[in-house]
Structure formats: structure tokens, C-alpha cells
Amino acid sequence: MLVNIIVVFPKKEVAGKIKNILVKNGYEVAAVCVTGAQAIQVVERLEAGIIVSGIRFVDMVYYELKECLPDTFEMLVIASNDHWQQYGGDDVIFLPLPMKAYDLVDTVEDMYRDLSNRLKRLRSKPKQRSADQQGVINQAKELLMEHRGYSEEEAHRFLQKHSMDTGNNMVDTAYMVLEMF
């Protein structure tokens, strides 16, 4: 899963400068926006990413944008200490102005790495089955245990193997077993 970077500042020239710093340091910037609404439209087309933004836009404040982001997005807010004290919160990373380019790059690098690792963990987690789906699998295992004399572990392996062999998921394979008996 690609981590996208979206730059959101009310002044296009400021957003352009931030984008240029990131691009010069090897990052691909998916979009540059001047309003929160534009950023939300871009986010809806992407799976994951980092929003690098100012604190206020024409149409909203950063925390209103943050509320619209899925869990697969992180936010870096760049603002003066005065604005941060007035609007700031704990749910984003803050970089104070004046800012050095290497501070921006280092911070984005850390966020990029952390988000990439979190996304890898999410992808590697087994998908949760609903209670109904698990019930179908359990019924199929019981039938295999009853009619073929399998242990529960053997019945489970049978379902796994046949689902891999046929390219179906476990639930579909369990339905096929139920139809067999």
C-alpha cells in the first residue's frame, strides 16, 4: 500500500514550496490543495497517506479536516507557536514556524516509516469473520468429524486445503461441504 503525501495550505505558493522540499528529498506528492474540501476529495481516492498542512484554511481548521480522515492517514501541522497554542491539539504532529527544510523532511520520514509499518501490520492481520460465517465453518467441521472421522484440527486443515486448491475462501468451501452432506 502506497503512502501518499498531500500538501494543504491556504496560499498556493506556500504549498508549492513545501511540495518542492519534499520532492527534492525523494517524496512523491500526490496533491497540493488550498482548501480542506479539496483535500477531502483527494483523500477519498487514496488508501493511505500523510497530510502536511497549515492550521487554518478558507473553509475549515485543521482539526475539522482531521475528523474527516480515515485511520490510514496521519497529519503534520506546520504553524506558528501562537497559532498552535490557540488551535492545537494532541492528535497530530506539530512542526513550529520558522521551520528548517531538514526538520520537515526528518518529520515526514518518521511519519512515513511509522505509517508504512502500521499498514503492514494491518494487512498481515487475519480478516475477522462474522459470527454467521464462523458458524458455517464450524458446522462443516462437525459434519467432517461426524462422517469422515476427522479430528477438529483435521477437519479445519481439510477446509483450508480445499479452499486453497479451489481458490475459494473458507466460508465458500464450508458451504460446499454442507451441500455434500
Side-chain angles (χ1 to χ4, degrees):
M1 196 178 294
L2 178 66
V3 175
N4 299 280
I5 298 176
I6 303 167
V7 178
V8 190
F9 281 86
K11 293 185 180 175
K12 193 155 185 100
E13 55 276 2
V14 173
K17 287 179 184 178
I18 299 290
K19 176 186 177 185
N20 289 339
I21 291 169
L22 293 169
V23 169
K24 283 179 189 173
N25 285 279
Y27 291 98
E28 190 175 314
V29 175
V32 173
C33 306
V34 294
T35 66
Q38 287 174 332
I40 291 167
Q41 287 177 333
V42 172
V43 164
E44 288 173 351
R45 296 190 312 260
L46 303 173
E47 290 183 63
I50 298 169
I51 305 285
V52 179
S53 77
I55 208 156
R56 286 186 291 165
F57 321 110
V58 175
D59 56 347
M60 63 182 73
V61 181
Y62 84 91
Y63 53 80
E64 294 170 311
L65 173 58
K66 174 74 173 149
E67 289 174 1
C68 297
L69 300 178
D71 292 341
T72 55
F73 276 81
E74 295 294 329
M75 193 168 205
L76 168 62
V77 176
I78 301 170
S80 68
N81 280 318
D82 290 342
H83 278 131
W84 186 248
Q85 288 176 354
Q86 184 178 358
Y87 295 102
D90 311 357
D91 57 345
V92 298
I93 294 176
F94 167 66
L95 204 53
L97 288 172
M99 171 196 72
K100 303 280 187 219
Y102 61 83
D103 287 336
L104 172 64
V105 173
D106 287 349
T107 304
V108 168
E109 175 65 29
D110 290 344
M111 293 175 74
Y112 196 96
R113 190 178 339 95
D114 291 347
L115 186 56
S116 293
N117 290 338
R118 188 163 51 104
L119 293 172
K120 283 178 191 171
R121 282 192 309 273
L122 284 174
R123 267 186 267 129
S124 66
K125 264 188 184 175
K127 292 189 172 100
Q128 295 292 327
R129 292 189 179 97
S130 71
D132 290 341
Q133 292 172 326
Q134 191 58 51
V136 169
I137 291 170
N138 290 341
Q139 283 179 338
K141 285 196 291 189
E142 286 174 19
L143 284 173
L144 287 167
M145 289 162 41
E146 191 177 307
H147 292 279
R148 297 228 172 133
Y150 289 164
S151 68
E152 184 176 359
E153 189 176 308
E154 289 169 331
H156 187 79
R157 272 199 225 118
F158 177 90
L159 290 173
Q160 279 182 323
K161 181 173 179 355
H162 281 282
S163 72
M164 286 190 288
D165 290 347
T166 61
N168 293 323
N169 64 39
M170 287 265 290
V171 176
D172 290 340
T173 302
Y175 276 118
M176 285 189 272
V177 168
L178 292 176
E179 288 173 12
M180 275 181 6
F181 297 106

